[in-house]
């Protein structure tokens, strides 16, 4: 199933003869054929309007904030995907807003006047939304990092239990009585040798370094890849023996005799598993909640951006209608073409016409580049004669 694409469109109420908002919404619906998408009302409050200079700066700030919100929603979504190991069904279950599908939230959007009082200055609202999206980002990232650390620790411990003799824990394998302890001169070294090199090892270990105890090699264990040997050497040549073994691509293993070591390792593994499971649940819950909250912040930023851009485009008094078009990535271009065909006149001389009277598109003129050079819209975005934003969640 294709991911929905949403278009936010703000138009002056004058697109309908009566100038009423309801009639303007009806006109917008008639412009977008049901074959191309479905139009829902997207109510935007009347915010406190400052100076023109302030509005221009706020339009720029909101463009950057919206991009940041989209980035946080994407990052938190990636975290959810990683936590749930890419299971699309489970991921979709977690991607909700207030325990309801995101599509429901967008189609029934109303400004949260309790959390973001509409009588506050626009600059205050922007600051509040910036802080909230940054908090969501930090909280989810920190918890996800904590979970990843626990997961790495668990992987390391499990590898010690299940790996080959060159990596796994030797506590349950080595009999402590085989190790020389409390000797002033001698020490025992454990060496994991690839099975195809055991004959070479047995022929040469006594001559690798001086003062290796003759015939001290003892085979302790073997698996499909390695054989573990114990060798006795004088302490002053121990470091040299370790170095020589590495040169031969044999793996010296560290091992310390510890009473109850086997039981202690198992307890450590069990404890790490419990910690990892606990953090998995905490991270999942926080990421799911954070994703929904980030979508809410993003939507409020979009609503605020629509308002500011509407004031800049259409001026005062404010008489406009805002609609949310639910479509698909494939049909979005056709929906946009319908909108351009009906409302490009709002751009006045900004939109040229061809010889047949049709409005030129971005591909047909350099208008977008000229507008970008003039600083009137974001570079890399197509100029529209009306307020228009598109997004996917």
């Amino acid at each position: 199933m294709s991911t929905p694409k949403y278009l936010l469109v703000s138009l002056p109420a004058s697109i309908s003869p009566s100038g009423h908002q309801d009639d303007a919404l009806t006109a917008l619906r008639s412009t977008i054929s049901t074959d191309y998408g479905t139009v829902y009302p997207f109510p935007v409050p009347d915010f406190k309007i400052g100076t023109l200079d302030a509005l221009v700066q706020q339009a720029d700030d909101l463009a950057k904030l919206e991009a940041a919100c989209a980035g946080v929603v994407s990052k938190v979504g990636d975290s959810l995907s990683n936590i749930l190991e890419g299971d699309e069904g489970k991921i979709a279950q977690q991607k909700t807003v207030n325990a309801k599908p995101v599509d429901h939230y967008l189609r029934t959007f109303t400004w949260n006047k309790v959390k973001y009082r509409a009588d506050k200055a626009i600059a205050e609202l922007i600051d509040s939304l910036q802080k909230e999206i940054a908090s969501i980002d930090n909280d989810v990232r920190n918890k996800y990092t904590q979970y990843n650390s626990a997961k790495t620790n668990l992987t390391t411990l499990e590898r010690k239990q299940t790996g080959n003799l060159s990596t796994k824990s030797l506590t349950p394998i080595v009999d402590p009585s085989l190790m020389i302890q409390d000797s002033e001169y001698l020490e025992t070294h454990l060496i994991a040798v690839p099975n195809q090199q055991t004959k070479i090892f047995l022929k040469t270990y006594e001559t690798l370094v001086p003062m290796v105890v003759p015939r001290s090699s003892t085979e302790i264990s073997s698996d499909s890849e390695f054989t573990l040997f114990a060798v006795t050497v004088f302490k002053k040549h121990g470091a040299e023996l370790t170095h020589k073994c590495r040169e031969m691509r044999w793996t010296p293993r560290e091992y310390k005799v510890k009473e109850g070591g086997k039981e202690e390792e198992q307890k450590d593994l069990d404890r790490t598993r419990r910690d990892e499971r606990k953090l998995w649940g905490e991270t999942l819950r926080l990421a799911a909640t954070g994703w929904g909250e980030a979508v809410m912040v993003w939507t409020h930023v979009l609503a605020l951006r629509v308002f500011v851009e509407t004031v800049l485009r259409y001026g005062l008094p404010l008489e406009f209608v805002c609609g949310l078009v639910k479509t698909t990535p494939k049909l979005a271009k056709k929906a946009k073409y319908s909108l351009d065909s009906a409302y490009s006149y709002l751009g006045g001389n900004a939109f040229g016409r061809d010889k047949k009277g049709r409005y030129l598109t971005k591909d047909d003129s350099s208008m977008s580049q000229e507008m970008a050079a003039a600083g009137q819209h974001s570079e890399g975005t197509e100029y529209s004669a009306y307020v228009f934003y598109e997004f996917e969640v």
Side-chain angles (χ1 to χ4, degrees), residues 12 41 54 57 71 155 237 257-258 260 275 294 304 324 331 358 367:
Q57 181 60 52
T155 301
H237 293 288
V257 177
K258 184 178 179 182
D275 290 346
L304 202 53
L324 176 77
L331 295 175
R358 295 175 301 191
M367 178 54 61

Side-chain angles (χ1 to χ4, degrees), residues 157 161 169 171-172 256-272 274:
L157 289 177
Q161 298 289 322
S169 170
T171 302
K256 291 183 179 180
V257 177
K258 184 178 179 182
E259 188 175 348
K262 183 178 180 180
E263 292 76 13
E264 188 64 34
E265 276 193 2
Q266 187 59 47
K267 286 181 181 178
D268 192 24
L269 178 61
D270 293 341
R271 181 173 60 252
T272 304
R274 289 193 300 270

Side-chain angles (χ1 to χ4, degrees), residues 339-357:
L339 289 167
D340 284 343
S341 298
Y343 304 119
S344 286
Y345 70 87
L346 294 170
N349 293 330
F351 266 63
R353 293 174 182 264
D354 62 16
K355 293 180 180 179
K356 295 183 179 180

